[in-house]
Amino acid sequence: MNLCFIIGKIISDIEFKFIVNDRNKMSISLFVVELNNKSRIKIKGYNNIADFCYQNLRKEDNIILEGYINNKMNIVIYKINKI
């Protein structure tokens, strides 16, 4: 597994979804972050992280996050903080 640290600004609205499989429920938040070099990265958060993102973060917020890169080249969040 890999580990990455990202500092950037949220440039999209935070999308919030639910996935229900049999007995399992999962919440997902999706948004795009722009880095200092103008690169854009898709970010995903699951369950408690998704809830935190949806409730506390907004477009134009500056954030720092810790996560990993999945097989679709998206960042999956472990920890996130507003700067």
Side-chain angles (χ1 to χ4, degrees), residues 1-7 26-31 41-47 49 64-80:
M1 187 181 299
N2 54 58
L3 183 64
C4 63
F5 297 90
I6 303 292
I7 298 174
M26 182 182 297
S27 57
I28 301 173
S29 64
L30 306 161
F31 55 97
I41 300 173
K42 292 181 182 178
I43 308 293
K44 285 186 177 182
Y46 294 98
N47 297 324
I49 295 286
I64 182 168
L65 64 88
E66 178 183 339
Y68 69 93
I69 303 172
N70 69 8
N71 58 354
K72 294 184 180 179
M73 298 305 291
N74 296 324
I75 306 295
V76 178
I77 306 169
Y78 286 144
K79 298 178 187 176
I80 188 166

Side-chain angles (χ1 to χ4, degrees), residues 53-68:
C53 292
Y54 186 72
Q55 292 174 2
N56 299 302
L57 301 177
R58 300 288 173 253
K59 189 174 180 179
E60 302 297 321
D61 284 346
N62 291 309
I63 59 167
I64 182 168
L65 64 88
E66 178 183 339
Y68 69 93

